[in-house]
Amino acid sequence: VYWLRAAGLVDYWTNGKIVPAERGLRFLERLKLVVPDQLPHRHSGQILELPPPPALLAVELAEVDQAALRSRKRSLGYVAGGTRVEALARLVNAAVPAIKRSDFRAFCSGEFGVLESSAEQTLGTLRSLGLLTQVGTDTFAATELAKSCLASDEALDFVRLLHLNVALLGESLDALDNEAHTATLLSVLAERYPDVQLTREDVTRRIALLLETGLAERIGLTVRRTELGASLVNTLPLLDRVTSGLPENADQGIPRGSSAAEPHAVTDTGQRSFGSLATEVVQAATDSADYQRFEQAVAAAFHALGVDVETHGGPKKTDVVIELWQSPTDRQRVAVEAKTDGAGLVTDQDVKFWRLGEHRERHMAQSTLLVGPQFDARVTQEAAREKVALITARELADAVMRHSRTPLSPREIAAMVTAGEDAEALALTWRAAERRQEALSLVLHTLWKSGNDPVDIRYTTGVLGVSDIWRETKGALETPLDSSEIEEALTFLGSPLIAGVERQGGNHVVTAPPSLAAARLRALAAVIESTGLEGPPGRPSGEGPPTPPRRSSPESSGNPSVPRQQDSCADVTPSLVRAWAKGQGHAVNERGRLPQDLIKKYKQVHGHG
């Protein structure tokens, strides 16, 4: 669009519309246009006839139930040669009729040029995916299902088998009815299957497998399923969706450009899922005809990130002010400006940085954050000079989704909204938090599996040491857990509040099923949330933050006849400060915390302290 505008072929109206100019209409007559139905990626809508799966695999697909679909492995794990059907077939073929561990390591090193440690991880991954099984002390063989897929020589059969063992593989293909970015697909899956928490990397690896097998195709920056993918997904058993609270159009695939999303619908994140909120942020960023929709979506997104939010708007005011609780004596206020653009790019013509500075001073904020669909190079350069932080709508939407699965503290979120902060440091913080969650789940499920395995019970009574847990889980993650991560998870699970693991000497044994441990955690969350306290005990909810404690002066220390400083302003109430602030023309909300600077000004004017 910018090229067309520069050439004088189209005009961009202030209401967000793009219309052809007279020059453009004349130029259009000289062009030969493609017929849309003749484009190579155009779908005919036909359902292709697929080769039937092998008999053994067909039985497994027919008999799988919802419990089995819910218990599938979340992480694909590391595979030498990549998670490609060709590589999987070569690895399975190497284990026919059987192969020793040392020979498997040598095969991986020779065929794919990987280290022995990577070959060992590959072995663990193939076993967890149902492709290999242990048949001797140190010998492994392809499973009957894997051999049947190998014999059929059909890539679709490997995908069918992986669907039985990998969480939301076929479901991802089902959600790709329309074009979608990885972040959008992640949000849709989170809406439909909130109990299965995938990361962006998980979704990216699933998409790569679907692209490699021709079940999906890439169009520009988006991905959608092909006719082959549509035909396959109609034959796969899928996990039931959670339908409550979803948008009405969620059943037709990826929500796109829904005009039914009213601005007020995102002001209460308790009534909309994180996924639909993330989608709304991205869509509203290019809705130039309704800039308030984006402002309210941004406010709702930061509320979902767990920070205090004030909505303003209007002349000489910022759109949103967020306050991040750092410590009992420190809060960071950030003035947030939301900029929409119908073409998806905020330019230097759209932003007046001197005005952002005025807004920051008016709202007594320490910094400014600019949110938009994308920013051109001049805006990026000027923002760096003016110490204004930039974040795109998609980055904010991704943060909402990631926070819904792995919440961070306001102090950690501050790195995302402060100019000059290292974005990679925030990413590392998030990855570390996600890693701890993965470790907790892996350790508990490994102990539970051992505690219910007849062979383990016979020889070890289901008791595992740290090294045993490491050996059992090393194939589940691309980077295996280290001993400190396992110990940290065991300590948490062994606390009296969870009581899911018990120490026996230097080893550990499971004492409760994972479902009970999860139920106890949910019960603890309910107890914490049921207190109803938004502020410290003894203070009315919504009356603003407590005044930080002051050090007593030498004169008052130890002298009861000298009144303490906070007693001299005991008559300062939020209602008095609000009334005074409005009379002075200061912007102030009817409810919520009052800025400390505003309270300080009131006290100075009225002789308090």
mmCIF file of all heavy atoms in Angstrom, residues 565-609:
data_model
loop_
_atom_site.group_PDB
_atom_site.id
_atom_site.type_symbol
_atom_site.label_atom_id
_atom_site.label_comp_id
_atom_site.label_asym_id
_atom_site.label_seq_id
_atom_site.Cartn_x
_atom_site.Cartn_y
_atom_site.Cartn_z
ATOM 1 N N GLN A 565 5.057 11.610 62.369
ATOM 2 C CA GLN A 565 4.719 12.413 61.202
ATOM 3 C C GLN A 565 3.442 11.936 60.534
ATOM 4 O O GLN A 565 2.638 12.730 60.094
ATOM 5 C CB GLN A 565 5.880 12.329 60.189
ATOM 6 C CG GLN A 565 5.778 13.386 59.111
ATOM 7 C CD GLN A 565 7.059 13.466 58.326
ATOM 8 O OE1 GLN A 565 7.893 12.578 58.378
ATOM 9 N NE2 GLN A 565 7.240 14.540 57.607
ATOM 10 N N GLN A 566 3.214 10.607 60.460
ATOM 11 C CA GLN A 566 2.036 10.166 59.765
ATOM 12 C C GLN A 566 0.765 10.506 60.539
ATOM 13 O O GLN A 566 -0.312 10.568 59.964
ATOM 14 C CB GLN A 566 2.095 8.648 59.490
ATOM 15 C CG GLN A 566 2.217 7.783 60.723
ATOM 16 C CD GLN A 566 3.658 7.405 60.979
ATOM 17 O OE1 GLN A 566 4.536 8.252 60.802
ATOM 18 N NE2 GLN A 566 3.897 6.184 61.399
ATOM 19 N N ASP A 567 0.840 10.755 61.881
ATOM 20 C CA ASP A 567 -0.352 11.107 62.637
ATOM 21 C C ASP A 567 -0.843 12.498 62.279
ATOM 22 O O ASP A 567 -2.019 12.804 62.392
ATOM 23 C CB ASP A 567 -0.060 11.051 64.146
ATOM 24 C CG ASP A 567 0.195 9.615 64.590
ATOM 25 O OD1 ASP A 567 -0.257 8.694 63.885
ATOM 26 O OD2 ASP A 567 0.858 9.435 65.629
ATOM 27 N N SER A 568 0.076 13.405 61.833
ATOM 28 C CA SER A 568 -0.308 14.776 61.537
ATOM 29 C C SER A 568 -1.153 14.882 60.281
ATOM 30 O O SER A 568 -1.763 15.891 60.023
ATOM 31 C CB SER A 568 0.945 15.650 61.388
ATOM 32 O OG SER A 568 1.684 15.227 60.260
ATOM 33 N N CYS A 569 -1.172 13.804 59.451
ATOM 34 C CA CYS A 569 -1.969 13.852 58.232
ATOM 35 C C CYS A 569 -3.005 12.738 58.222
ATOM 36 O O CYS A 569 -3.361 12.218 57.179
ATOM 37 C CB CYS A 569 -1.081 13.767 56.994
ATOM 38 S SG CYS A 569 -0.008 12.323 56.959
ATOM 39 N N ALA A 570 -3.472 12.380 59.425
ATOM 40 C CA ALA A 570 -4.454 11.302 59.514
ATOM 41 C C ALA A 570 -5.763 11.668 58.868
ATOM 42 O O ALA A 570 -6.564 10.815 58.518
ATOM 43 C CB ALA A 570 -4.684 10.934 60.992
ATOM 44 N N ASP A 571 -6.009 13.021 58.692
ATOM 45 C CA ASP A 571 -7.278 13.435 58.099
ATOM 46 C C ASP A 571 -7.224 13.489 56.580
ATOM 47 O O ASP A 571 -8.180 13.920 55.931
ATOM 48 C CB ASP A 571 -7.682 14.807 58.644
ATOM 49 C CG ASP A 571 -6.610 15.868 58.378
ATOM 50 O OD1 ASP A 571 -5.457 15.460 58.138
ATOM 51 O OD2 ASP A 571 -6.947 17.061 58.419
ATOM 52 N N VAL A 572 -6.106 13.088 55.974
ATOM 53 C CA VAL A 572 -5.993 13.057 54.513
ATOM 54 C C VAL A 572 -6.650 11.778 54.005
ATOM 55 O O VAL A 572 -6.153 10.682 54.261
ATOM 56 C CB VAL A 572 -4.512 13.108 54.067
ATOM 57 C CG1 VAL A 572 -4.426 13.000 52.549
ATOM 58 C CG2 VAL A 572 -3.868 14.389 54.546
ATOM 59 N N THR A 573 -7.773 11.923 53.311
ATOM 60 C CA THR A 573 -8.497 10.758 52.804
ATOM 61 C C THR A 573 -8.504 10.795 51.285
ATOM 62 O O THR A 573 -8.369 11.871 50.673
ATOM 63 C CB THR A 573 -9.947 10.744 53.308
ATOM 64 O OG1 THR A 573 -10.633 11.885 52.787
ATOM 65 C CG2 THR A 573 -9.994 10.762 54.827
ATOM 66 N N PRO A 574 -8.663 9.654 50.643
ATOM 67 C CA PRO A 574 -8.696 9.624 49.171
ATOM 68 C C PRO A 574 -9.775 10.520 48.579
ATOM 69 O O PRO A 574 -9.562 11.150 47.537
ATOM 70 C CB PRO A 574 -8.960 8.151 48.856
ATOM 71 C CG PRO A 574 -8.411 7.415 50.035
ATOM 72 C CD PRO A 574 -8.684 8.297 51.213
ATOM 73 N N SER A 575 -10.933 10.602 49.236
ATOM 74 C CA SER A 575 -12.017 11.425 48.686
ATOM 75 C C SER A 575 -11.627 12.910 48.677
ATOM 76 O O SER A 575 -11.936 13.641 47.729
ATOM 77 C CB SER A 575 -13.297 11.217 49.498
ATOM 78 O OG SER A 575 -13.074 11.542 50.865
ATOM 79 N N LEU A 576 -10.917 13.374 49.728
ATOM 80 C CA LEU A 576 -10.471 14.763 49.763
ATOM 81 C C LEU A 576 -9.441 15.039 48.672
ATOM 82 O O LEU A 576 -9.492 16.077 48.008
ATOM 83 C CB LEU A 576 -9.876 15.083 51.141
ATOM 84 C CG LEU A 576 -10.853 15.167 52.319
ATOM 85 C CD1 LEU A 576 -10.094 15.378 53.615
ATOM 86 C CD2 LEU A 576 -11.851 16.295 52.088
ATOM 87 N N VAL A 577 -8.524 14.086 48.479
ATOM 88 C CA VAL A 577 -7.496 14.267 47.458
ATOM 89 C C VAL A 577 -8.126 14.310 46.074
ATOM 90 O O VAL A 577 -7.771 15.136 45.230
ATOM 91 C CB VAL A 577 -6.448 13.140 47.544
ATOM 92 C CG1 VAL A 577 -5.417 13.289 46.419
ATOM 93 C CG2 VAL A 577 -5.748 13.161 48.898
ATOM 94 N N ARG A 578 -9.112 13.421 45.823
ATOM 95 C CA ARG A 578 -9.777 13.393 44.520
ATOM 96 C C ARG A 578 -10.511 14.702 44.250
ATOM 97 O O ARG A 578 -10.446 15.254 43.143
ATOM 98 C CB ARG A 578 -10.758 12.217 44.455
ATOM 99 C CG ARG A 578 -10.094 10.868 44.240
ATOM 100 C CD ARG A 578 -11.135 9.789 43.893
ATOM 101 N NE ARG A 578 -10.478 8.535 43.586
ATOM 102 C CZ ARG A 578 -10.207 7.576 44.476
ATOM 103 N NH1 ARG A 578 -10.559 7.765 45.741
ATOM 104 N NH2 ARG A 578 -9.592 6.477 44.110
ATOM 105 N N ALA A 579 -11.236 15.206 45.264
ATOM 106 C CA ALA A 579 -11.989 16.454 45.085
ATOM 107 C C ALA A 579 -11.045 17.608 44.782
ATOM 108 O O ALA A 579 -11.305 18.442 43.899
ATOM 109 C CB ALA A 579 -12.812 16.740 46.337
ATOM 110 N N TRP A 580 -9.941 17.679 45.502
ATOM 111 C CA TRP A 580 -8.960 18.738 45.276
ATOM 112 C C TRP A 580 -8.335 18.609 43.890
ATOM 113 O O TRP A 580 -8.176 19.597 43.158
ATOM 114 C CB TRP A 580 -7.877 18.689 46.349
ATOM 115 C CG TRP A 580 -6.727 19.610 46.057
ATOM 116 C CD1 TRP A 580 -6.665 20.955 46.280
ATOM 117 C CD2 TRP A 580 -5.477 19.236 45.459
ATOM 118 N NE1 TRP A 580 -5.448 21.439 45.857
ATOM 119 C CE2 TRP A 580 -4.707 20.414 45.362
ATOM 120 C CE3 TRP A 580 -4.947 18.036 45.026
ATOM 121 C CZ2 TRP A 580 -3.429 20.397 44.822
ATOM 122 C CZ3 TRP A 580 -3.676 18.022 44.486
ATOM 123 C CH2 TRP A 580 -2.926 19.200 44.392
ATOM 124 N N ALA A 581 -7.994 17.376 43.494
ATOM 125 C CA ALA A 581 -7.347 17.152 42.209
ATOM 126 C C ALA A 581 -8.250 17.583 41.059
ATOM 127 O O ALA A 581 -7.797 18.212 40.094
ATOM 128 C CB ALA A 581 -6.962 15.676 42.058
ATOM 129 N N LYS A 582 -9.539 17.249 41.148
ATOM 130 C CA LYS A 582 -10.471 17.638 40.079
ATOM 131 C C LYS A 582 -10.580 19.159 39.977
ATOM 132 O O LYS A 582 -10.670 19.721 38.881
ATOM 133 C CB LYS A 582 -11.846 17.020 40.343
ATOM 134 C CG LYS A 582 -11.874 15.502 40.149
ATOM 135 C CD LYS A 582 -13.254 14.946 40.470
ATOM 136 C CE LYS A 582 -13.281 13.438 40.292
ATOM 137 N NZ LYS A 582 -14.614 12.868 40.635
ATOM 138 N N GLY A 583 -10.583 19.831 41.140
ATOM 139 C CA GLY A 583 -10.663 21.285 41.128
ATOM 140 C C GLY A 583 -9.443 21.930 40.506
ATOM 141 O O GLY A 583 -9.524 23.042 39.968
ATOM 142 N N GLN A 584 -8.297 21.235 40.574
ATOM 143 C CA GLN A 584 -7.060 21.770 40.008
ATOM 144 C C GLN A 584 -6.847 21.337 38.559
ATOM 145 O O GLN A 584 -5.844 21.668 37.947
ATOM 146 C CB GLN A 584 -5.861 21.306 40.852
ATOM 147 C CG GLN A 584 -5.894 21.797 42.293
ATOM 148 C CD GLN A 584 -5.834 23.314 42.383
ATOM 149 O OE1 GLN A 584 -5.024 23.945 41.711
ATOM 150 N NE2 GLN A 584 -6.701 23.903 43.200
ATOM 151 N N GLY A 585 -7.795 20.535 38.032
ATOM 152 C CA GLY A 585 -7.681 20.098 36.639
ATOM 153 C C GLY A 585 -6.836 18.859 36.442
ATOM 154 O O GLY A 585 -6.490 18.520 35.304
ATOM 155 N N HIS A 586 -6.501 18.144 37.525
ATOM 156 C CA HIS A 586 -5.721 16.917 37.400
ATOM 157 C C HIS A 586 -6.642 15.764 37.007
ATOM 158 O O HIS A 586 -7.774 15.671 37.494
ATOM 159 C CB HIS A 586 -5.016 16.564 38.720
ATOM 160 C CG HIS A 586 -3.963 17.563 39.106
ATOM 161 N ND1 HIS A 586 -2.801 17.724 38.390
ATOM 162 C CD2 HIS A 586 -3.917 18.450 40.141
ATOM 163 C CE1 HIS A 586 -2.067 18.672 38.967
ATOM 164 N NE2 HIS A 586 -2.721 19.125 40.025
ATOM 165 N N ALA A 587 -6.160 14.877 36.127
ATOM 166 C CA ALA A 587 -6.927 13.681 35.758
ATOM 167 C C ALA A 587 -6.810 12.657 36.882
ATOM 168 O O ALA A 587 -5.706 12.315 37.309
ATOM 169 C CB ALA A 587 -6.396 13.098 34.449
ATOM 170 N N VAL A 588 -7.942 12.180 37.342
ATOM 171 C CA VAL A 588 -7.929 11.206 38.437
ATOM 172 C C VAL A 588 -9.145 10.300 38.292
ATOM 173 O O VAL A 588 -10.241 10.750 37.933
ATOM 174 C CB VAL A 588 -7.936 11.920 39.814
ATOM 175 C CG1 VAL A 588 -9.181 12.762 39.999
ATOM 176 C CG2 VAL A 588 -7.798 10.910 40.957
ATOM 177 N N ASN A 589 -8.940 8.999 38.519
ATOM 178 C CA ASN A 589 -10.031 8.035 38.441
ATOM 179 C C ASN A 589 -10.898 8.097 39.695
ATOM 180 O O ASN A 589 -10.434 8.484 40.778
ATOM 181 C CB ASN A 589 -9.492 6.613 38.276
ATOM 182 C CG ASN A 589 -8.992 6.377 36.870
ATOM 183 O OD1 ASN A 589 -9.238 7.195 35.983
ATOM 184 N ND2 ASN A 589 -8.296 5.279 36.660
ATOM 185 N N GLU A 590 -12.171 7.676 39.541
ATOM 186 C CA GLU A 590 -13.076 7.659 40.693
ATOM 187 C C GLU A 590 -12.712 6.568 41.682
ATOM 188 O O GLU A 590 -13.012 6.663 42.870
ATOM 189 C CB GLU A 590 -14.524 7.457 40.217
ATOM 190 C CG GLU A 590 -15.092 8.629 39.431
ATOM 191 C CD GLU A 590 -15.177 9.895 40.275
ATOM 192 O OE1 GLU A 590 -15.298 9.780 41.504
ATOM 193 O OE2 GLU A 590 -15.112 10.994 39.711
ATOM 194 N N ARG A 591 -12.116 5.474 41.187
ATOM 195 C CA ARG A 591 -11.717 4.370 42.051
ATOM 196 C C ARG A 591 -10.281 3.993 41.745
ATOM 197 O O ARG A 591 -9.715 4.406 40.740
ATOM 198 C CB ARG A 591 -12.629 3.152 41.843
ATOM 199 C CG ARG A 591 -14.068 3.391 42.262
ATOM 200 C CD ARG A 591 -14.901 2.137 42.037
ATOM 201 N NE ARG A 591 -14.360 0.991 42.762
ATOM 202 C CZ ARG A 591 -14.594 0.738 44.045
ATOM 203 N NH1 ARG A 591 -15.330 1.568 44.763
ATOM 204 N NH2 ARG A 591 -14.097 -0.334 44.631
ATOM 205 N N GLY A 592 -9.718 3.185 42.615
ATOM 206 C CA GLY A 592 -8.357 2.715 42.393
ATOM 207 C C GLY A 592 -7.340 3.517 43.190
ATOM 208 O O GLY A 592 -7.665 4.456 43.917
ATOM 209 N N ARG A 593 -6.097 3.123 43.031
ATOM 210 C CA ARG A 593 -5.021 3.751 43.786
ATOM 211 C C ARG A 593 -4.737 5.150 43.276
ATOM 212 O O ARG A 593 -4.759 5.409 42.078
ATOM 213 C CB ARG A 593 -3.757 2.902 43.698
ATOM 214 C CG ARG A 593 -3.907 1.515 44.315
ATOM 215 C CD ARG A 593 -2.538 0.849 44.391
ATOM 216 N NE ARG A 593 -2.631 -0.438 45.049
ATOM 217 C CZ ARG A 593 -2.587 -1.605 44.421
ATOM 218 N NH1 ARG A 593 -2.455 -1.623 43.107
ATOM 219 N NH2 ARG A 593 -2.684 -2.734 45.071
ATOM 220 N N LEU A 594 -4.440 6.043 44.204
ATOM 221 C CA LEU A 594 -4.056 7.413 43.845
ATOM 222 C C LEU A 594 -2.546 7.488 43.692
ATOM 223 O O LEU A 594 -1.806 6.879 44.468
ATOM 224 C CB LEU A 594 -4.508 8.390 44.934
ATOM 225 C CG LEU A 594 -6.022 8.596 45.068
ATOM 226 C CD1 LEU A 594 -6.325 9.401 46.321
ATOM 227 C CD2 LEU A 594 -6.578 9.301 43.847
ATOM 228 N N PRO A 595 -2.044 8.232 42.701
ATOM 229 C CA PRO A 595 -0.590 8.373 42.543
ATOM 230 C C PRO A 595 0.029 9.029 43.782
ATOM 231 O O PRO A 595 -0.528 9.979 44.349
ATOM 232 C CB PRO A 595 -0.454 9.269 41.305
ATOM 233 C CG PRO A 595 -1.759 9.125 40.581
ATOM 234 C CD PRO A 595 -2.795 8.912 41.638
ATOM 235 N N GLN A 596 1.187 8.532 44.167
ATOM 236 C CA GLN A 596 1.871 9.074 45.340
ATOM 237 C C GLN A 596 2.242 10.543 45.149
ATOM 238 O O GLN A 596 2.176 11.338 46.088
ATOM 239 C CB GLN A 596 3.117 8.239 45.634
ATOM 240 C CG GLN A 596 2.819 6.859 46.210
ATOM 241 C CD GLN A 596 2.138 6.958 47.561
ATOM 242 O OE1 GLN A 596 2.552 7.728 48.426
ATOM 243 N NE2 GLN A 596 1.072 6.191 47.751
ATOM 244 N N ASP A 597 2.618 10.912 43.915
ATOM 245 C CA ASP A 597 2.981 12.311 43.665
ATOM 246 C C ASP A 597 1.787 13.235 43.876
ATOM 247 O O ASP A 597 1.943 14.376 44.349
ATOM 248 C CB ASP A 597 3.506 12.466 42.238
ATOM 249 C CG ASP A 597 4.866 11.811 42.051
ATOM 250 O OD1 ASP A 597 5.504 11.520 43.084
ATOM 251 O OD2 ASP A 597 5.284 11.589 40.908
ATOM 252 N N LEU A 598 0.594 12.765 43.523
ATOM 253 C CA LEU A 598 -0.616 13.571 43.698
ATOM 254 C C LEU A 598 -0.912 13.767 45.187
ATOM 255 O O LEU A 598 -1.259 14.866 45.637
ATOM 256 C CB LEU A 598 -1.800 12.898 42.994
ATOM 257 C CG LEU A 598 -3.110 13.694 42.961
ATOM 258 C CD1 LEU A 598 -2.923 14.974 42.149
ATOM 259 C CD2 LEU A 598 -4.221 12.845 42.356
ATOM 260 N N ILE A 599 -0.794 12.701 45.953
ATOM 261 C CA ILE A 599 -1.013 12.791 47.401
ATOM 262 C C ILE A 599 0.012 13.746 48.033
ATOM 263 O O ILE A 599 -0.314 14.557 48.911
ATOM 264 C CB ILE A 599 -0.921 11.397 48.045
ATOM 265 C CG1 ILE A 599 -2.042 10.488 47.498
ATOM 266 C CG2 ILE A 599 -1.016 11.483 49.563
ATOM 267 C CD1 ILE A 599 -1.937 9.053 47.972
ATOM 268 N N LYS A 600 1.265 13.655 47.534
ATOM 269 C CA LYS A 600 2.320 14.508 48.070
ATOM 270 C C LYS A 600 2.019 15.978 47.801
ATOM 271 O O LYS A 600 2.196 16.852 48.679
ATOM 272 C CB LYS A 600 3.655 14.108 47.446
ATOM 273 C CG LYS A 600 4.851 14.864 47.996
ATOM 274 C CD LYS A 600 6.136 14.354 47.355
ATOM 275 C CE LYS A 600 7.342 15.119 47.892
ATOM 276 N NZ LYS A 600 8.603 14.638 47.261
ATOM 277 N N LYS A 601 1.550 16.296 46.578
ATOM 278 C CA LYS A 601 1.201 17.677 46.239
ATOM 279 C C LYS A 601 0.064 18.190 47.116
ATOM 280 O O LYS A 601 0.075 19.333 47.578
ATOM 281 C CB LYS A 601 0.806 17.765 44.764
ATOM 282 C CG LYS A 601 1.974 17.687 43.800
ATOM 283 C CD LYS A 601 1.497 17.887 42.370
ATOM 284 C CE LYS A 601 2.676 17.857 41.395
ATOM 285 N NZ LYS A 601 2.233 18.057 40.002
ATOM 286 N N TYR A 602 -0.938 17.335 47.356
ATOM 287 C CA TYR A 602 -2.067 17.731 48.208
ATOM 288 C C TYR A 602 -1.575 18.094 49.601
ATOM 289 O O TYR A 602 -1.979 19.102 50.194
ATOM 290 C CB TYR A 602 -3.082 16.592 48.269
ATOM 291 C CG TYR A 602 -4.233 16.860 49.224
ATOM 292 C CD1 TYR A 602 -5.371 17.527 48.799
ATOM 293 C CD2 TYR A 602 -4.156 16.450 50.559
ATOM 294 C CE1 TYR A 602 -6.418 17.777 49.672
ATOM 295 C CE2 TYR A 602 -5.204 16.702 51.433
ATOM 296 C CZ TYR A 602 -6.326 17.365 50.990
ATOM 297 O OH TYR A 602 -7.353 17.619 51.862
ATOM 298 N N LYS A 603 -0.685 17.269 50.141
ATOM 299 C CA LYS A 603 -0.177 17.515 51.495
ATOM 300 C C LYS A 603 0.629 18.820 51.557
ATOM 301 O O LYS A 603 0.529 19.563 52.541
ATOM 302 C CB LYS A 603 0.689 16.337 51.948
ATOM 303 C CG LYS A 603 -0.103 15.041 52.173
ATOM 304 C CD LYS A 603 0.833 13.906 52.580
ATOM 305 C CE LYS A 603 0.060 12.624 52.816
ATOM 306 N NZ LYS A 603 0.947 11.496 53.172
ATOM 307 N N GLN A 604 1.415 19.076 50.495
ATOM 308 C CA GLN A 604 2.206 20.304 50.495
ATOM 309 C C GLN A 604 1.319 21.536 50.459
ATOM 310 O O GLN A 604 1.556 22.519 51.159
ATOM 311 C CB GLN A 604 3.149 20.289 49.283
ATOM 312 C CG GLN A 604 4.271 19.268 49.383
ATOM 313 C CD GLN A 604 5.086 19.172 48.101
ATOM 314 O OE1 GLN A 604 4.671 19.671 47.053
ATOM 315 N NE2 GLN A 604 6.235 18.522 48.194
ATOM 316 N N VAL A 605 0.260 21.489 49.620
ATOM 317 C CA VAL A 605 -0.649 22.631 49.498
ATOM 318 C C VAL A 605 -1.401 22.882 50.795
ATOM 319 O O VAL A 605 -1.622 24.029 51.200
ATOM 320 C CB VAL A 605 -1.631 22.399 48.329
ATOM 321 C CG1 VAL A 605 -2.721 23.460 48.319
ATOM 322 C CG2 VAL A 605 -0.878 22.409 47.001
ATOM 323 N N HIS A 606 -1.786 21.808 51.498
ATOM 324 C CA HIS A 606 -2.611 21.940 52.693
ATOM 325 C C HIS A 606 -1.813 21.886 53.985
ATOM 326 O O HIS A 606 -2.386 21.768 55.074
ATOM 327 C CB HIS A 606 -3.680 20.839 52.711
ATOM 328 C CG HIS A 606 -4.720 21.014 51.627
ATOM 329 N ND1 HIS A 606 -4.488 20.580 50.329
ATOM 330 C CD2 HIS A 606 -5.956 21.578 51.637
ATOM 331 C CE1 HIS A 606 -5.559 20.849 49.589
ATOM 332 N NE2 HIS A 606 -6.450 21.461 50.347
ATOM 333 N N GLY A 607 -0.465 21.929 53.864
ATOM 334 C CA GLY A 607 0.368 22.042 55.055
ATOM 335 C C GLY A 607 0.507 20.779 55.862
ATOM 336 O O GLY A 607 0.790 20.831 57.061
ATOM 337 N N HIS A 608 0.298 19.615 55.231
ATOM 338 C CA HIS A 608 0.498 18.346 55.931
ATOM 339 C C HIS A 608 1.933 17.902 55.710
ATOM 340 O O HIS A 608 2.342 17.625 54.582
ATOM 341 C CB HIS A 608 -0.451 17.276 55.391
ATOM 342 C CG HIS A 608 -1.890 17.573 55.670
ATOM 343 N ND1 HIS A 608 -2.444 17.499 56.919
ATOM 344 C CD2 HIS A 608 -2.888 17.959 54.824
ATOM 345 C CE1 HIS A 608 -3.723 17.813 56.853
ATOM 346 N NE2 HIS A 608 -4.011 18.099 55.600
ATOM 347 N N GLY A 609 2.677 17.739 56.760
ATOM 348 C CA GLY A 609 4.061 17.262 56.632
ATOM 349 C C GLY A 609 4.934 18.278 55.958
ATOM 350 O O GLY A 609 5.844 17.911 55.262
#
